[in-house]
Amino acid sequence: MSTIDWIVLFGTLLTIAAYGVYKTYKQNSLDSYLRGKNSMNWWTIGLSIMATQASAITFLSTPGQAYEDGMRFIQFYFGLPLAMIIISVSFIPIYYKLKVYTAYEYLENRFDLKTRTLASLLFIIQRGLGAGITIYAPAIILSTLLGWNLTWTNILIGTLVIAYTVSGGTEAVSITQKQQMAVMMGGMILAGIIVINMLPISFQEALHVAGSMDKLNMVNFEFDLADRYNIWSGMTAAVFLFLGYFGTDQSQVQRYLSGQTLSQSRMGLIMNGFLKIPMQFVILFIGVMVFVFYQFYQPPVVFNQVQTEKLRTSEYAGDFEALEDKYSENFEVSKASYLELLSAIEQKDETTESRVKENLKSLKIEQNKIRDEVKDLIVTNDPVAETRDTDYVFMRFVMDNLPKGIIGLLFAVIFSAAMSSSASELNSLGSTSTIDLYKRSIKKDGSDRHYLHSSKFFTAFWGVGAILFATYASLFENLIQAVNLLGSLFYGTILGIFIVGFFMKWIKGQAVFLGALGSQALIFLIHFRNGEGLFGFVWDIGFLWYNAIGCLAVMLFGAIFQLFIKK
């Protein structure tokens, strides 16, 4: 990081945070603080919704996901437009008609207080943990890459977010997210252009290389419950996840409840539905181009440089150097094979093309074995070392290859994304804690000003809690999967309560409450016994399906309990 990179990084972050405080610090009522005076137009809502979902994890993990697994992750988003249309038709009109501050207020109107409280608590548990991961995810990567202390990196991100979110509430979150989205997408598109220009081959040849290694396979029609990403999970299980996230998660509901009109909110959601897929395509494609780049310029054996540097100074340094030499030999042979492949494609020599492709796949298997041996050495040297390095791929590429100034901008992208998602989460946790728990069940006769201060207190409280959780968290297999898993454990049950409320009018509060408890217990059972089973029955279910199972279980259990209650 050069001086200009540090200036770009901190200049961007401090400007955005200061702008949010300056524009919104005069919030003097609970309504303006939680709903932003209903002043947001549709494109501000759309950008705010996208920025809330596009956390730092998106920009850290998604390129690495594509580097390892290709473009098939995009199938996860195929059901998003359908979910946005369903929410626009079914969910938003009810929220607007009741003039609610939170989604969970509706549940007391439809069922009873305990059902509202249960849904609020489920949201607070999963979103409180999610806020910690949202801060922790970029902090652990950035602290490693920049050599910063992890705790202080967590505190830096968390403090900036707390400052303008507590100050300006919903409006501060929404207006800062416009600037953050500009930085995020501008920085990523610029990075993509630079990556393509740095390739030693033409763009068309780069596509041939990516295609030969199955990195461009965007659609998989094979039905497999254990497979997280195929067309069936994207158009069914993921739709339930999106309905739960965008329709019942207060961090998203609060974005469109601040709209000027019902139509503006609907247009903002639809905008998100149709722009999110191209956005994810761009980010995944950048990861694929980084993969192509590293087929012609030798990549590190392990992208987490801190761990490899420790290995160099350990008693296993000789073993590591021997494995590096093997890796270099493999790379040179692989590079020559790619050049042979491109020549065969140009000459339309299908026999040679087929032979070289098989050879490349064998070389890739050998390369992965060498990487696994290096990771085993890392763990032998340091038993608590982290060896999963997919999340380091993109930013390692940035630091090693991009010009001064651009490196700082790309780090600003990651920090901005962390801030945008964290701000929405803390804002929603503050409002839910105030409206659904504190105001409704603890102190019912406070003044508007009292609840305004309470909401700011809870926002700050959850901010500090997220920082503490981030400080003591541990890395998952892949950060973007960790966030989707955490949501999938709870969204199905919450969504099921709302679906019963909207469409199964004959089911009452007691039945849906018991049904929700049963559904949540079932999801925990499926998850914690996944791959092992129970009583001789073994199952292996991808976590995206938890959303559909949880929702349908609430509907089924609720119906059964209602029949017994009637009798």
Side-chain angles (χ1 to χ4, degrees):
M1 290 277 284
S2 65
T3 302
I4 190 170
D5 289 315
W6 291 115
I7 292 172
V8 170
L9 171 59
F10 284 105
T12 302
L13 300 183
L14 293 174
T15 299
I16 292 173
Y19 179 76
V21 173
Y22 169 72
K23 292 290 287 184
T24 60
Y25 72 94
K26 291 184 178 179
Q27 301 286 13
N28 53 16
S29 74
L30 186 65
D31 184 73
S32 63
Y33 188 76
L34 297 185
R35 285 198 295 218
K37 297 173 287 191
N38 292 104
S39 60
M40 302 302 163
N41 54 34
W42 65 271
W43 63 273
T44 300
I45 294 170
L47 289 175
S48 183
I49 290 170
M50 291 175 69
T52 296
Q53 189 185 19
S55 68
I57 298 163
T58 300
F59 299 97
L60 282 168
S61 279
T62 306
Q65 177 95 7
Y67 182 93
E68 289 286 330
D69 197 34
M71 298 283 290
R72 71 191 193 100
F73 177 64
I74 200 168
Q75 296 170 106
F76 173 68
Y77 292 95
F78 284 174
L80 183 60
L82 174 61
M84 297 302 95
I85 292 170
I86 293 172
I87 293 170
S88 296
V89 171
S90 303
F91 290 54
I92 301 181
I94 294 174
Y95 295 152
Y96 263 81
K97 181 180 179 181
L98 296 175
K99 293 182 168 44
V100 296
Y101 286 113
T102 74
Y104 315 111
E105 288 182 80
Y106 159 76
L107 297 179
E108 185 174 359
N109 282 298
R110 170 64 176 84
F111 297 117
D112 50 34
L113 176 59
K114 67 178 180 294
T115 304
R116 171 185 179 178
T117 303
L118 174 64
S120 303
L121 288 172
L122 290 176
F123 163 75
I124 285 173
I125 291 169
Q126 73 92 6
R127 185 49 63 200
L129 295 174
I133 292 178
T134 303
I135 292 175
Y136 167 76
I140 191 169
I141 308 298
L142 297 173
S143 64
T144 301
L145 292 170
L146 299 174
W148 291 1
N149 177 274
L150 175 60
T151 301
W152 287 109
T153 309
N154 286 327
I155 292 172
L156 170 65
I157 298 172
T159 302
L160 284 172
V161 172
I162 291 170
Y164 67 82
T165 308
V166 170
S167 170
T170 296
E171 188 178 5
V173 173
S174 296
I175 66 171
T176 52
Q177 284 177 327
K178 287 191 292 185
Q179 282 75 38
Q180 287 159 342
M181 274 301 294
V183 171
M184 286 187 274
M185 288 314 300
M188 291 302 288
I189 290 171
L190 181 60
I193 293 170
I194 293 173
V195 172
I196 292 171
N197 285 332
M198 290 176 67
L199 295 174
I201 55 177
S202 69
F203 180 66
Q204 185 176 4
E205 289 174 325
L207 294 179
H208 285 311
V209 169
S212 69
M213 298 306 292
D214 298 327
K215 300 298 180 183
L216 298 179
N217 293 345
M218 288 185 283
V219 180
N220 175 18
F221 286 99
E222 183 180 347
F223 183 80
D224 182 1
L225 282 176
D227 185 9
R228 299 179 183 123
Y229 308 118
N230 56 48
I231 191 71
W232 310 111
S233 63
M235 292 303 298
T236 52
V239 171
F240 283 89
L241 173 62
F242 293 134
L243 287 174
Y245 178 52
F246 292 99
T248 70
D249 189 306
Q250 183 61 21
S251 66
Q252 285 291 4
V253 173
Q254 199 151 344
R255 308 281 67 78
Y256 51 78
L257 286 182
S258 62
Q260 295 170 356
T261 63
L262 174 61
S263 297
Q264 295 284 324
S265 294
R266 281 173 163 169
M267 289 171 64
L269 262 183
I270 298 299
M271 170 186 168
N272 170 66
F274 287 95
L275 288 186
K276 183 67 176 178
I277 296 175
M279 172 182 159
Q280 289 297 132
F281 177 89
V282 168
I283 299 170
L284 284 165
F285 192 73
I286 290 171
V288 171
M289 289 298 102
V290 169
F291 170 83
V292 175
F293 176 88
Y294 278 131
Q295 305 317 300
F296 297 93
Y297 298 99
Q298 185 171 338
V301 182
V302 173
F303 284 93
N304 188 339
Q305 196 171 21
V306 170
Q307 298 298 343
T308 54
E309 289 303 318
K310 286 181 181 177
L311 209 52
R312 287 187 199 283
T313 58
S314 73
E315 60 183 295
Y316 305 102
D319 295 329
F320 176 52
E321 288 175 10
L323 288 169
E324 275 195 312
D325 290 340
K326 284 179 64 178
Y327 192 77
S328 296
E329 291 172 13
N330 175 284
F331 170 78
E332 292 300 331
V333 175
S334 179
K335 179 180 176 180
S337 297
Y338 277 116
L339 294 173
E340 186 182 0
L341 173 68
L342 293 174
S343 175
I345 291 172
E346 185 179 354
Q347 296 171 14
K348 297 182 180 179
D349 183 351
E350 294 183 4
T351 303
T352 302
E353 182 183 340
S354 178
R355 174 181 59 79
V356 175
K357 281 184 179 179
E358 289 303 314
N359 186 40
L360 281 168
K361 288 177 181 177
S362 298
L363 287 167
K364 184 60 67 177
I365 291 171
E366 181 186 340
Q367 186 184 108
N368 288 334
K369 286 182 179 177
I370 297 170
R371 278 170 50 83
D372 289 339
E373 288 182 52
V374 173
K375 290 178 179 179
D376 289 340
L377 274 183
I378 290 172
V379 173
T380 303
N381 181 52
D382 180 4
V384 298
E386 179 54 60
T387 59
R388 293 183 290 268
D389 65 339
T390 306
D391 299 314
Y392 291 85
V393 171
F394 179 61
M395 293 310 294
R396 185 76 263 159
F397 166 80
V398 168
M399 293 195 73
D400 289 344
N401 299 285
L402 295 196
K404 294 178 181 179
I406 304 299
I407 297 175
L409 177 62
L410 266 295
F411 273 100
V413 167
I414 305 303
F415 276 108
S416 294
M419 290 164 59
S420 67
S421 285
S422 299
S424 294
E425 290 166 342
L426 300 185
N427 184 217
S428 62
L429 285 165
S431 60
T432 303
S433 299
T434 300
I435 298 298
D436 295 299
L437 300 180
Y438 182 69
K439 183 181 179 183
R440 181 63 187 86
S441 301
I442 299 173
K443 186 174 177 61
K444 302 180 181 181
D445 57 352
S447 64
D448 184 83
R449 190 167 188 79
H450 172 79
Y451 293 126
L452 172 64
H453 290 310
S454 299
S455 189
K456 291 187 175 186
F457 166 78
F458 282 119
T459 301
F461 170 82
W462 285 111
V464 172
I467 293 172
L468 290 174
F469 178 82
T471 302
Y472 295 103
S474 61
L475 201 63
F476 292 80
E477 175 189 351
N478 178 271
L479 295 171
I480 198 163
Q481 292 182 8
V483 171
N484 289 332
L485 168 60
L486 187 61
S488 296
L489 287 172
F490 295 94
Y491 282 140
T493 299
I494 299 174
L495 175 63
I497 296 172
F498 278 85
I499 294 297
V500 169
F502 293 154
F503 302 111
M504 302 175 75
K505 301 294 186 182
W506 55 281
I507 297 180
K508 307 304 179 186
Q510 184 72 10
V512 78
F513 178 79
L514 294 173
L517 292 177
S519 169
Q520 196 59 64
L522 175 64
I523 294 300
F524 285 146
L525 174 65
I526 290 173
H527 176 67
F528 290 110
R529 300 295 300 179
N530 210 15
E532 299 176 22
L534 200 64
F535 304 124
F537 179 68
V538 180
W539 58 81
D540 186 8
I541 300 174
F543 60 75
L544 286 180
W545 291 102
Y546 297 174
N547 299 280
I549 294 170
C551 178
L552 296 174
V554 174
M555 297 165 67
L556 176 62
F557 293 164
I560 292 172
F561 281 123
Q562 187 62 46
L563 291 175
F564 278 104
I565 289 170
K566 276 188 176 181
K567 289 180 180 178

